[in-house]
Amino acid sequence: MFYISEIQHTAPPVFKTALQEKVYQTLKQADVAFERVDTDEAITMEDCVDIGHKLKTPIVKTLFLCNRQETNFYLVVTTADKPFKTKDFSSALNISRVSFASPALLQEILGVTVGAATVFGVMLDTTNKVRVVIDKDVLAEEWYGCSDGTTTGYMKVSRDWIMHDFLPRANHTPEFVQL
């Protein structure tokens, strides 16, 4: 059985990654309320569906893509239930075909491992290499459910705070598309 802790409202007592620590510092400094759970390692969206039920909000699907030359990067946020096709994404942005970035680039640029991609990773993108692209369907939810930068910590925060406060503070302007 997949482990999901009870809901908590405080940061973890020990941080597993530098990004995870930065996430909770940012929430504390901005005085943003959140709910979080600890879990077994969650890699698939099926795992995230159970986590979303516990948090009473869907967990978004967050993908890290790049062009063939590995010079253009995209953090894509969509709904968990939506199939993702790079061809459709490329068409929506009118760009050349993209593919999933390597685990090494994911770690280097966003500070996470496979399965832990999160919008919070843009805090580590200080040179603004990454374009944040958000599926308009994500905006239908009041809450934003995502990883805290690990594959064992998930949270929900205000969607409006992510879109209108966090991303601008992280110097990233989201692009909204219909995927």
Side-chain angles (χ1 to χ4, degrees), residues 21-105:
E21 183 173 9
K22 195 170 182 80
V23 167
Y24 289 101
Q25 286 173 347
T26 299
L27 292 167
K28 184 177 180 177
Q29 288 171 353
D31 196 29
V32 173
F34 63 89
E35 292 182 0
R36 73 170 188 88
V37 292
D38 296 314
T39 68
D40 284 336
E41 188 170 38
I43 302 293
T44 68
M45 287 313 300
E46 289 77 21
D47 296 334
C48 291
V49 168
D50 292 338
I51 296 166
H53 286 146
K54 182 74 168 200
L55 289 170
K56 295 187 174 106
T57 196
I59 303 298
V60 296
K61 183 186 303 184
T62 307
L63 308 167
F64 190 52
L65 307 171
C66 65
N67 63 351
R68 179 172 288 157
Q69 299 80 12
E70 297 181 345
T71 55
N72 297 325
F73 300 95
Y74 307 88
L75 185 71
V76 182
V77 180
T78 188
T79 58
D81 59 344
K82 198 176 274 192
F84 182 81
K85 295 181 180 145
T86 58
K87 179 182 176 185
D88 296 342
F89 174 77
S90 297
S91 293
L93 285 183
N94 198 26
I95 58 173
S96 297
R97 202 81 182 258
V98 295
S99 60
F100 289 93
S102 70
L105 283 170

